[in-house]
């Protein structure tokens, strides 16, 4: 099944945010730096598309340059819950 551009933007936003929370809040990482960087760079390009303003976390990622996740909302409740869930696995 083919994903829409909006679905891909939402997925990359969540991945970047959750893994930033794992890294900065819990000093854990379940993906390597190369993969995170790949997702982040892809997201930077996706955020330029006309579909981006309709994404779930659009406001959070305005100005995101893909070099670090430390300036993201690392207290986002949904993303923190997902990060904690991943840590349990």
């Amino acid at each position: 099944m083919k994903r829409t551009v909006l679905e891909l933007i939402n997925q990359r936003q969540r991945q970047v945010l959750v893994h930033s929370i794992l890294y900065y809040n819990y000093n854990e990482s379940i993906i390597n730096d190369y993969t995170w960087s790949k997702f982040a760079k892809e997201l930077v390009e996706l955020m330029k598309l006309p579909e981006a303003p309709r994404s779930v976390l659009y406001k959070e990622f305005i100005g995101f340059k893909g070099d670090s996740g430390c300036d993201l909302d690392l207290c986002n409740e949904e993303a923190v819950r997902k990060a904690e869930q991943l840590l349990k696995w």
Side-chain angles (χ1 to χ4, degrees):
M1 180 163 86
K2 187 175 178 177
R3 290 180 293 181
T4 67
V5 171
L6 183 57
E7 288 170 333
L8 181 57
I9 294 169
N10 286 326
Q11 179 184 18
R12 288 293 179 256
Q13 288 171 342
R14 288 181 176 116
Q15 287 171 319
V16 167
L17 180 57
V18 167
H19 292 292
S20 295
I21 289 169
L22 286 169
Y23 184 82
Y24 290 105
N25 291 1
Y26 297 99
N27 200 32
E28 294 286 340
S29 185
I30 60 172
I31 60 173
N32 61 34
D33 290 342
Y34 173 81
T35 302
W36 187 93
S37 183
K38 181 180 168 189
F39 289 165
K41 288 177 183 176
E42 182 179 9
L43 180 56
V44 167
E45 294 306 310
L46 290 167
M47 289 296 289
K48 297 175 184 175
L49 299 176
E51 293 87 349
R54 296 193 336 255
S55 63
V56 175
L57 297 170
Y58 176 74
K59 290 179 182 176
E60 175 66 36
F61 284 90
I62 291 174
F64 179 70
K65 293 179 178 43
D67 53 348
S68 174
C70 68
D71 293 328
L72 297 173
D73 179 9
L74 302 179
C75 295
N76 177 292
E77 290 182 32
E78 181 182 343
V80 168
R81 276 194 306 273
K82 179 54 83 176
E84 290 172 346
Q85 211 174 35
L86 290 170
L87 284 175
K88 288 178 185 177
W89 291 344

